[in-house]
Amino acid sequence: MFSSLLNQLFRRRIVALAFGSALLFSACDPDSKQDPVPDGRNTNVYIVNEGNFNTPNGSVSLYDKISGEIKALDVFKAANGRELLADVATSMTIVGERGYIVANNNSKIEVVSLPDFKSVGTIAEPLQQPRYLLAASADKAYVTEWVASPFPAAVLGRVAVVDLKTNKVTKTIPVGKLPEEMLLVNGRLFVANSEGNTLTVINTATDEVETTISVGVNPASLVLGADGHVWVLANGQTDYTDPALSVKGSVSDFAPTAPYTVRKRELGFTPGYGSRIRRNANGTALYLKTGNGVFRLAPTDAALPTTPFINRDFYSLEVDPDSDVLYTGVALSFNGPGRMVTYQKGGAPLDSAEVGILPSGFAFY
């Protein structure tokens, strides 16, 4: 199964690069020597740039929503006078006045103060291949871990419980293979196991696994809709040697209380590795970022969408919780700058700017 995942990852990047090369809206080029501007809340957007695999050159760029400019192509280096040294910068989570930057391949989380982006600590051992951090409170967070490289085969993953006061792992919880994003609802942590077809449900009062929920094949992301349901995008699986064995993607939803009754609806295509579901601020609009474009639906829609809302394949997508503006990452090459492209909630393009290598995520401050 994972050789197919590797093929999907490679092909996804190729398609994203091909599209990105053709998409260059006019914008001012950033000055990499410019110091970051410590603006207040609701103005800073941090773009997480994955960097090259096995080369610790992942970075974070800083975009100012007020001026519409990139204030620093590498804000960590500008603030600290040194490189971030992130090998595959996967994600960034903001908790209060701290930012947590997850470096997957060198198994660490860099902690910075905000808005000055000064390094204030590192969360490392015993983390193994961390992916995403989700805060349960100001003092406690959960981190998904792949545990080992997924090549040539994935192993069972786990969720680390982290004390944010000490930056120490206090417990690990076994889950499924290649756990990715998480969602916390009503004292239950739902973990998407992206190799397989399950979500793991963890009771956050005891930090013990309560059950697993069956959804579509290869779920990696989930959000809470305005209807109070958990919505899950399953990426499906493409078999490049025998297309007849490919599995289409699906969208599942369920009320976040036991017993969990899942409604699963099949998409007409395979979204592919790296596909994600996102929501606007109040959960009335859900976005499916797939290899076939970006699709939009409402939780109340009777059927899944069949026509893309934005007919382009992006490397990443997030929605600004303050304005509902869509922020997308465009990969132009494996070793050169990428682009950030923003869209109005109606789908019209707004702005574009140069960022770092392989922009994989966004964090709003």
Side-chain angles (χ1 to χ4, degrees), residues 141-207:
Y142 296 94
V143 178
T144 49
E145 300 178 78
W146 281 357
V147 174
S149 170
F151 307 106
V155 301
L156 289 176
R158 66 190 185 193
V159 170
V161 184
V162 178
D163 184 336
L164 297 180
K165 301 187 300 295
T166 63
N167 290 337
K168 300 293 185 183
V169 174
T170 60
K171 182 177 182 177
T172 58
I173 308 165
V175 293
K177 294 181 179 181
L178 302 185
E180 286 282 87
E181 297 184 5
M182 299 166 283
L183 180 67
L184 180 58
V185 187
N186 299 335
R188 299 298 182 270
L189 185 73
F190 299 91
V191 183
N193 301 308
S194 69
E195 175 83 351
N197 67 339
T198 65
L199 308 179
T200 299
V201 184
I202 295 172
N203 185 324
T204 58
T206 62
D207 289 333

Side-chain angles (χ1 to χ4, degrees), residues 30 33 77 99 122 128 150 170 236 247 256 276 283 301 336 363:
K33 296 182 179 179
K77 185 176 181 180
T122 303
Q128 294 179 299
T170 60
V247 179
R276 292 291 185 266
D301 286 348

